């Protein structure tokens, strides 16, 4: 049995719904891991940087169809003084060759969204553990197929949702678990980020954020594949940054579950206005009908009585914010005003106080242990933690801290919200992907 089969077999031994006991910080070494990466665009190279700087990882293969992105990725190995990995390119199916021939202990998938499900399914069938960028799939059927493949093969699968590892988010998780806010009542989060300069560009390699009005076949980087989703779809297209932390705070799939969902979408103006402002009213893209509402809001009910509200807002001028709100019986925290109020403990009744002293007091042990390691990592250190969690779980043959049930539950918000909006804001029953297993599963993330 090679290392790859050993890892998969160990993960399958306890059964997919067994109560997991290892923690995300487990560090029992099992030798250097041979990892591959599919997709080394802008996001992929940020994650690759975390792999290259680790001594317990050998990057054995890189796959991408674009020569420019591969060359940019190879520079990281030169700068680190490490040998270059084998490259797989020249075909849209080159990634299959890597899965079949590279003898990998795991693979990172950082490709366009529509490729995540087929690539993850193929990797799991090849017994290669998966760390997949968000989202898990496009359609609801995609999510069921990814889940069933994982359950059938027992191959580990982790969703690379980095915001769950944000320092303030983890400190608040610590507060929630220690009862600072009392019983959870209401949670909010979302993806509120002006992406107009990401969704359009001039199609010049290396200038993905340089503005312009092109997308699709004439675009570059994310504008090539991400913007068409805004043309054809209307829903919360990117839910996991908001729903992931909310799910952890509410113990979703571990003693609690989502039960129902309702979504609303505003009218669409932002992307059209951007095209007109940048390219003029006569530009061909000014005639494109963008279906995605500028602001999409989704309300979700929980089995234990909490409510969760998500916002997706990427097409209008606005500062970045994930809009977190954690509210319990005794008080609440909000990230937008960086404030907290805890009844009986805050200095003045009915008045916000600055949250930083609380965040420092409840700083999560993982951040206390690894803040120096995360120095300089992408997204304020979050990318170190999400890669670290995957690598350490593989080495320890431990359950993934953000597992297959988390992945499909969080990502399914997208097709469910699309259905709700298309059917006149109908309330949709939320699938129970655990098929009742949520009642007996214990939290394992950052415990």
């Amino acid at each position: 049995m090679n290392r790859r089969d050993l890892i998969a077999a160990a993960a399958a031994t306890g059964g997919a719904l067994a109560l997991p006991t290892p923690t995300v910080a487990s560090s029992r070494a099992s030798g250097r891991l041979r990892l591959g990466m599919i997709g080394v665009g802008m996001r992929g190279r940020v994650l690759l940087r975390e792999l290259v700087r680790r001594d317990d990882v050998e990057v054995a293969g890189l796959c991408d169809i674009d020569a420019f992105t591969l060359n940019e990725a190879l520079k990281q190995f030169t700068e680190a003084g490490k040998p270059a990995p084998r490259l797989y390119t020249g075909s849209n199916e080159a990634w299959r060759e890597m899965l079949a021939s590279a003898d990998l202990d795991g693979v990172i998938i950082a490709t366009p969204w529509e490729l995540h499900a087929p690539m993850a399914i193929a990797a799991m069938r090849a017994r290669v553990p998966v760390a997949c960028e968000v989202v898990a799939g496009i359609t609801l059927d995609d999510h069921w197929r990814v889940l069933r493949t994982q359950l059938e093969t027992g191959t580990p699968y982790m969703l690379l949702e980095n915001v769950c590892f944000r320092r303030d988010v983890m400190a608040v998780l610590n507060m929630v678990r220690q009862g600072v806010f009392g019983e959870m009542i209401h949670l909010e989060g979302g993806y509120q980020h002006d992406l107009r300069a990401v969704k359009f560009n001039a199609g010049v390699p290396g200038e993905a954020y340089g503005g312009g009005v092109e997308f699709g076949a004439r675009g570059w980087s994310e504008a090539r594949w991400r913007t068409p989703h805004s043309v054809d779809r209307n829903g919360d297209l990117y839910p996991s940054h908001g729903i992931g932390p909310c799910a952890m705070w509410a113990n979703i799939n571990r003693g609690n579950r989502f039960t129902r969902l309702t979504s609303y979408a505003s009218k669409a103006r932002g992307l059209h206005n951007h095209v007109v402002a940048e390219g003029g009213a006569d530009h061909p893209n000014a005639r494109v009908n963008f279906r995605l509402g500028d602001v999409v809001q989704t309300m979700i009910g929980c089995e234990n009585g909490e409510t969760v509200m998500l916002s997706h807002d990427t097409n209008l001028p606005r500062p970045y914010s994930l809009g977190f709100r954690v509210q319990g019986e005794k008080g609440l925290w909000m990230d937008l005003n960086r404030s907290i109020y805890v009844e009986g403990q805050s200095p003045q009744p009915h008045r916000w106080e600055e949250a930083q002293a609380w965040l420092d007091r409840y700083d999560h042990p993982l951040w206390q242990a690894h803040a120096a390691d995360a120095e300089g990592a992408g997204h304020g250190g979050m990318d170190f933690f999400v890669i670290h969690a995957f690598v350490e779980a593989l080495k320890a043959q431990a359950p993934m801290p953000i597992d297959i049930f988390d992945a499909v539950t969080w990502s399914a918000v997208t097709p469910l919200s699309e259905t709700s909006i298309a059917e006149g804001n109908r309330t949709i029953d939320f699938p129970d992907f655990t098929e009742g297993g949520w009642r007996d599963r214990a939290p394992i993330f950052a415990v």
Side-chain angles (χ1 to χ4, degrees), residues 171-343:
V172 171
L173 177 64
N174 205 14
M175 286 189 249
V176 168
R177 288 174 172 172
Q178 295 193 39
V180 170
F181 303 109
E183 185 179 356
M184 286 292 95
I185 302 297
H186 177 73
L187 300 163
E188 294 182 15
Y191 192 56
Q192 301 175 132
H193 188 187
D194 181 357
L195 295 181
R196 292 173 299 169
V198 175
K199 293 185 176 183
F200 299 99
N201 60 60
V204 179
E207 298 182 8
Y209 294 94
V213 293
E214 300 297 347
F215 67 91
R218 295 175 61 86
W220 178 254
S221 191
E222 288 184 58
R224 180 178 294 170
W225 59 265
R226 186 169 190 156
T227 312
H229 290 277
S230 299
V231 177
D232 300 326
R233 307 173 69 191
N234 191 13
D236 188 328
L237 300 187
Y238 204 62
S240 66
H241 283 349
I243 199 63
C246 288
M248 294 304 187
W249 291 322
N251 290 327
I252 298 302
N253 292 331
R254 295 171 176 85
N256 199 3
R257 65 174 291 257
F258 296 139
T259 56
R260 294 179 182 84
L261 173 152
T262 307
S263 294
Y264 284 81
S266 75
K267 56 191 172 184
R269 296 291 184 270
L271 298 184
H272 170 79
N273 291 346
H274 176 83
V275 172
V276 172
E278 294 285 329
D282 294 331
H283 193 280
N285 288 341
R287 296 191 292 273
V288 173
N289 178 28
F290 296 97
R291 293 188 61 199
L292 177 63
D294 289 339
V295 178
V296 177
Q297 293 199 306
T298 299
M299 184 64 77
I300 303 174
C302 299
E303 182 73 28
N304 293 344
E306 304 90 344
T307 51
V308 180
M309 189 172 76
L310 298 179
S311 296
H312 182 271
D313 175 357
T314 63
N315 299 341
L316 297 170
R318 60 160 300 126
Y320 174 85
S321 168
L322 297 187
F324 286 124
R325 171 176 166 182
V326 177
Q327 190 162 14
E329 300 171 288
K330 301 177 181 179
L332 73 163
W333 166 77
M334 297 180 70
D335 74 335
L336 185 58
N337 61 359
R338 300 178 182 177
S339 295
I340 193 171
Y341 178 76
V342 181
E343 189 173 47

Side-chain angles (χ1 to χ4, degrees), residues 103-217:
D103 188 27
L104 299 175
D105 297 317
V107 65
I108 315 293
I109 298 174
T111 55
W113 297 337
E114 58 270 21
L115 300 177
H116 290 182
M119 288 178 171
I121 289 170
M124 288 188 287
R125 287 177 176 162
R127 297 298 181 120
V128 178
V130 171
C132 186
E133 260 298 332
V134 297
V135 296
I138 301 297
T139 67
L140 194 59
D141 183 60
D142 285 341
H143 292 77
W144 281 111
R145 289 190 299 113
V146 170
L147 172 62
R148 287 169 181 150
T149 302
Q150 197 284 325
L151 296 180
E152 290 166 3
T153 65
T155 309
Y157 178 110
M158 178 173 166
L159 191 74
L160 293 174
E161 178 42 67
N162 59 0
V163 177
C164 288
F165 294 93
R166 205 172 86 175
R167 193 164 195 166
D168 58 346
V169 166
M170 294 193 76
V172 171
L173 177 64
N174 205 14
M175 286 189 249
V176 168
R177 288 174 172 172
Q178 295 193 39
V180 170
F181 303 109
E183 185 179 356
M184 286 292 95
I185 302 297
H186 177 73
L187 300 163
E188 294 182 15
Y191 192 56
Q192 301 175 132
H193 188 187
D194 181 357
L195 295 181
R196 292 173 299 169
V198 175
K199 293 185 176 183
F200 299 99
N201 60 60
V204 179
E207 298 182 8
Y209 294 94
V213 293
E214 300 297 347
F215 67 91

Side-chain angles (χ1 to χ4, degrees), residues 27-47:
S27 60
R28 183 169 64 83
S30 60
R32 297 179 73 210
L33 299 176
R34 286 174 53 86
L35 301 182
M37 174 170 282
I38 309 174
V40 289
M42 297 189 72
R43 178 57 182 154
R45 294 197 300 276
V46 171
L47 296 174

